[in-house]
Amino acid sequence: MQPILIMTAVPQEMTLLEHALTNTVRRTATAFEYAEGTIGTLPVLLCAGGVGKINAAAATATLIERCRPRLVINTGCAGAYPGSGLSIGHLAVASNEILGDEGVLTTGGWRDLRFMELPSFMQGKRAYHNEIPLSKHAAEKAMQLADYYGVFLMRGRFVTVSTCSGTRQRGETLARHFNAIAESMEGAAVAQICLRSGVDCLEIRGISNPVVDRDMSAWDIPRAAESAQRFVLKYLEDLDRPELSAFMQVAPER
């Protein structure tokens, strides 16, 4: 059976998942350490690949090449943009990921890769610039599962940045420009590698803070990380028991 690959940025974001892993073996692929085992009967790999797009892309590509997973789940924490309706401890699932600062700063303001006529990558004749789609099927399953358990889960666009938004003004600008709900430092990198590789990608994040003027005393990273991991465990449990998931049937994509 093809495994599920779960990617996080830091170990704190996979502590509960690792605790749930049985028959655990620790391995190294290139420079990336990961844990391999089972959750229920599902083969699962866990990797904290590091902070930022470079680490996330390299780790994801390395492990996809090694294990050919049927699904990549990218989980961890995120900041919620002003006006999103998300609060600390809430969960969000990405419909699309945006490369939020790949582009050029001109006298007329910031412009994206489409303006520069530089695709982020090509798939056949289709050019992808700053926006990367994730698996609609996996995200819809997550939304239905959240509804079944009465868990608050919002679906929308996420923005991935190298420089985090540390002011409310910056958060409002990105939220408005991209019609986005949340921000992280790795999501688009993982999503793009999955799309290149033909592997479904699901991104679930817990909200650790609102994107306002930076005040880490008001953040709650442990709560956000725990919320995300507990939901991922429910998602894995559902995958492990398809015979009990009649409520999870999703219409085929068109």
Side-chain angles (χ1 to χ4, degrees):
M1 184 186 299
Q2 290 176 284
I4 308 295
L5 171 59
I6 301 177
M7 299 296 305
T8 71
V10 297
Q12 183 179 6
E13 294 171 324
M14 67 177 201
T15 304
L16 291 178
L17 293 166
E18 192 166 13
H19 183 72
L21 202 67
T22 58
N23 306 310
T24 307
V25 178
R26 300 189 182 281
R27 304 187 187 279
T28 300
T30 312
F32 297 101
E33 295 182 357
Y34 65 98
E36 182 178 1
T38 56
I39 295 179
T41 65
L42 294 176
V44 173
L45 278 68
L46 299 175
C47 178
V51 173
K53 289 176 280 191
I54 294 173
N55 284 321
T60 303
T62 296
L63 291 175
I64 285 178
E65 179 67 22
R66 169 162 290 202
C67 69
R68 298 307 306 175
R70 61 172 166 142
L71 173 69
V72 173
I73 301 177
N74 184 15
T75 192
C77 301
Y81 283 135
S84 66
L86 291 165
S87 300
I88 291 174
H90 280 166
L91 296 174
V93 58
S95 58
N96 299 69
E97 265 286 3
I98 309 293
L99 291 161
D101 42 24
E102 265 77 0
V104 59
L105 190 59
T106 74
T107 55
W110 180 84
R111 296 292 185 267
D112 64 11
L113 293 174
R114 186 179 296 278
F115 172 85
M116 298 177 71
E117 299 182 355
L118 291 175
S120 180
F121 78 102
M122 299 286 298
Q123 192 172 61
K125 295 183 178 180
R126 182 170 182 180
Y128 292 89
H129 293 87
N130 289 67
E131 187 164 353
I132 312 297
L134 284 84
S135 170
K136 293 180 181 179
H137 179 74
E140 186 61 29
K141 282 175 67 70
M143 292 297 295
Q144 292 188 19
L145 187 65
D147 184 63
Y148 179 81
Y149 282 109
V151 174
F152 182 93
L153 177 63
M154 182 180 292
R155 186 179 180 187
R157 289 184 174 88
F158 288 11
V159 177
T160 298
V161 293
S162 294
T163 300
C164 294
S165 301
T167 67
R168 183 181 186 91
Q169 181 180 10
R170 179 60 175 165
E172 288 175 343
T173 297
L174 291 176
R176 181 173 59 253
H177 186 87
F178 294 117
N179 189 26
I181 62 173
E183 175 181 296
S184 78
M185 299 179 71
E186 301 84 22
V190 175
Q192 182 169 312
I193 294 299
C194 289
L195 189 60
R196 275 183 175 272
S197 304
V199 179
D200 282 350
C201 183
L202 172 68
E203 184 174 1
I204 300 283
R205 291 187 179 268
I207 301 302
S208 58
N209 61 283
V211 179
V212 293
D213 294 352
R214 190 173 177 85
D215 175 14
M216 290 192 68
S217 67
W219 293 23
D220 196 338
I221 292 173
R223 180 181 173 190
E226 179 179 343
S227 295
Q229 290 175 86
R230 290 196 182 283
F231 186 79
V232 170
L233 286 171
K234 289 183 183 294
Y235 194 93
L236 294 175
E237 180 183 1
D238 184 74
L239 289 179
D240 195 29
R241 299 192 300 169
E243 73 281 359
L244 301 180
S245 300
F247 67 95
M248 293 295 292
Q249 297 302 312
V250 180
E253 294 181 28
R254 294 174 178 162

